Amino acid sequence: MASPDPALWRDMLAFMRREHAPICRHWFEELEPVWLDGGLLQIRVNNTVQQNYLRRQCSDAFNEAAQTASGALIAVEFVNGVGTPPPTNTNEETNIAPEPVVPPQPVARSENSGIFSDELLLSPDYTFDNFVTGPGNRLACAAATAVGQQPAKAYNPLFIHGGVGLGKTHLLQAICQTILQGNPTADICYLSCDTFMNHFLEAVQNGQMHDFRHRYRHVDLLIIDDIHFLANRDRTQEEFFHTFNTLYQSGRQIVLSSDSPPNEIPQLEERLVSRFNWGLVTRVDAPCYETRVAIVQKKASLRGLKLPDDVVAYIAGKIESNTRELEGAITKAQSLAMLNNTPIT
């Protein structure tokens, strides 16, 4: 087991930027190749969020980059931990043996710590530092930041509503990441309302309601996206009502998002509407032109992409609906430029 050649890593990053630019992020420069053992290259990441993103989105691309740069059959593994570098030299005259090399180990976590979810994983892009504020989202961002810094003390529950693609999910994930930075072992449950309902139905069918209730009523933070899907779900609403009460009374943070404010969700029990309004209800509106310009610049910089000012202005002027479409336009422009091997103009 030995440290990889720095030239190999430089060639890998260059290959990634050239062949897989849409998935590349500026923080790739912070990654560190630590060991090369036979056909396995271990790359150290800064946190679990980055590790999950790389495993989910980038494993095949990094394997291809490693094999192209080395000319050998190499597989990449992303590790989150610390290791002991190999000794730079040995003292043969005094017969001093080098200390054994210890490979990086995953960070130990308790069985019940961290995030559990069947479908939602955190994106390293979705942090407060990367969230662009404007007149339409300033209050929501300030409230989410306060919750991330002081869970269950600032606003509880926090209810964020607004149209599709306006940044609600970004704020929810930023809360999770902020809390995990301060307390890596925090019990966080972050999932969609649809997943919550599916878990409830499975628990009823399998006679596992005790496990279900223990799972959701003993977390430090419960975040549910698209809570409006509780509409017309009488049994699920009943269960969520008791889950909400248990968490709230035990001083645990609750964060919800929806397309509509609580009062406008159809067929939602009045007692749930009342509880959703206990804390802070805040709206996220469509970004104005100046905010859209800042969003395009931020999204491009996350990819390490430099866009001319007139291109930024063009995209921001053409797309007025939501942030998700702005990001899609950047991806399309970047892909077409790579395909045609031309600069973006």
Side-chain angles (χ1 to χ4, degrees):
M1 184 175 290
S3 297
D5 183 355
L8 171 64
W9 180 239
R10 289 195 298 269
D11 291 345
M12 287 178 59
L13 287 180
F15 179 89
M16 290 291 297
R17 296 190 194 97
R18 184 174 64 252
E19 301 296 333
H20 301 282
I23 63 173
C24 289
R25 295 295 181 265
H26 68 93
W27 49 265
F28 281 12
E29 298 290 343
E30 302 172 4
L31 301 177
E32 181 185 2
V34 286
W35 308 113
L36 179 59
D37 184 18
L40 179 65
L41 172 63
Q42 293 183 327
I43 299 175
R44 183 160 56 213
V45 302
N46 292 325
N47 51 61
T48 303
V49 175
Q50 290 183 357
Q51 184 182 38
N52 289 337
Y53 172 83
L54 291 167
R55 286 176 174 175
R56 186 175 75 253
Q57 301 283 358
C58 308
S59 289
D60 291 342
F62 267 96
N63 287 338
E64 182 184 356
Q67 293 168 16
T68 301
S70 66
L73 188 61
I74 293 178
V76 171
E77 179 185 20
F78 302 104
V79 295
N80 180 15
V82 296
T84 302
T88 56
N89 55 66
T90 59
N91 191 332
E92 297 179 355
E93 294 181 359
T94 57
N95 199 29
I96 298 177
E99 295 183 2
V101 174
V102 180
Q105 299 295 325
V107 175
R109 302 177 70 91
S110 66
E111 181 180 354
N112 296 321
S113 69
I115 295 179
F116 64 85
S117 168
D118 285 350
E119 64 173 24
L120 299 177
L121 292 172
L122 299 182
S123 167
D125 294 348
Y126 288 169
T127 64
F128 286 122
D129 289 340
N130 294 333
F131 189 82
V132 178
T133 58
N137 61 23
R138 187 168 287 114
L139 176 58
C141 181
T145 302
V147 168
Q149 294 172 346
Q150 293 184 311
K153 296 180 180 179
Y155 306 104
N156 196 22
L158 174 61
F159 192 103
I160 303 174
H161 67 95
V164 175
L166 297 182
K168 301 189 300 297
T169 298
H170 189 143
L171 291 176
L172 300 189
Q173 295 201 19
I175 291 173
C176 292
Q177 297 196 55
T178 300
I179 291 177
L180 287 173
Q181 287 175 2
N183 181 13
T185 61
D187 293 334
I188 297 178
C189 176
Y190 167 55
L191 72 171
S192 70
C193 184
D194 185 62
T195 298
F196 179 86
M197 292 188 296
N198 289 338
H199 288 172
F200 172 68
L201 293 176
E202 290 172 2
V204 171
Q205 293 170 359
N206 298 327
Q208 298 174 339
M209 285 305 300
H210 175 77
D211 294 339
F212 175 88
R213 287 166 180 159
H214 184 272
R215 179 183 193 185
Y216 285 102
R217 298 182 187 184
H218 292 81
V219 296
D220 298 318
L221 170 65
L222 174 64
I223 297 186
I224 297 188
D225 211 350
D226 296 328
I227 196 65
H228 52 271
F229 286 121
L230 278 181
N232 297 314
R233 303 277 185 164
D234 294 341
R235 294 187 63 186
T236 311
Q237 288 188 37
E238 173 77 18
E239 184 61 32
F240 186 75
F241 170 79
H242 295 295
T243 297
F244 183 102
N245 283 346
T246 300
L247 292 173
Y248 185 84
Q249 292 168 5
S250 59
R252 310 299 177 89
Q253 179 68 53
I254 303 167
V255 182
L256 307 170
S257 79
S258 171
D259 288 349
S260 307
N263 295 335
E264 297 180 13
I265 300 177
Q267 303 299 317
L268 186 65
E269 293 182 5
E270 186 61 33
R271 57 182 180 174
L272 280 178
V273 173
S274 174
R275 279 158 177 76
F276 291 171
N277 283 310
W278 275 356
L280 176 66
V281 177
T282 179
R283 177 181 176 86
V284 177
D285 291 314
C288 63
Y289 173 76
E290 290 78 9
T291 305
R292 296 198 302 272
V293 168
I295 290 172
V296 173
Q297 292 171 333
K298 174 65 72 173
K299 295 293 185 181
S301 68
L302 288 175
R303 300 164 178 260
L305 181 65
K306 295 182 179 179
L307 294 178
D309 291 341
D310 56 343
V311 173
V312 173
Y314 180 82
I315 294 175
K318 285 291 185 180
I319 298 177
E320 303 178 358
S321 52
N322 61 59
T323 302
R324 196 167 296 158
E325 292 191 11
L326 288 172
E327 188 166 11
I330 296 171
T331 301
K332 184 175 181 180
Q334 186 178 24
S335 299
L336 288 173
M338 290 174 53
L339 180 64
N340 299 320
N341 196 25
T342 58
I344 299 176
T345 67

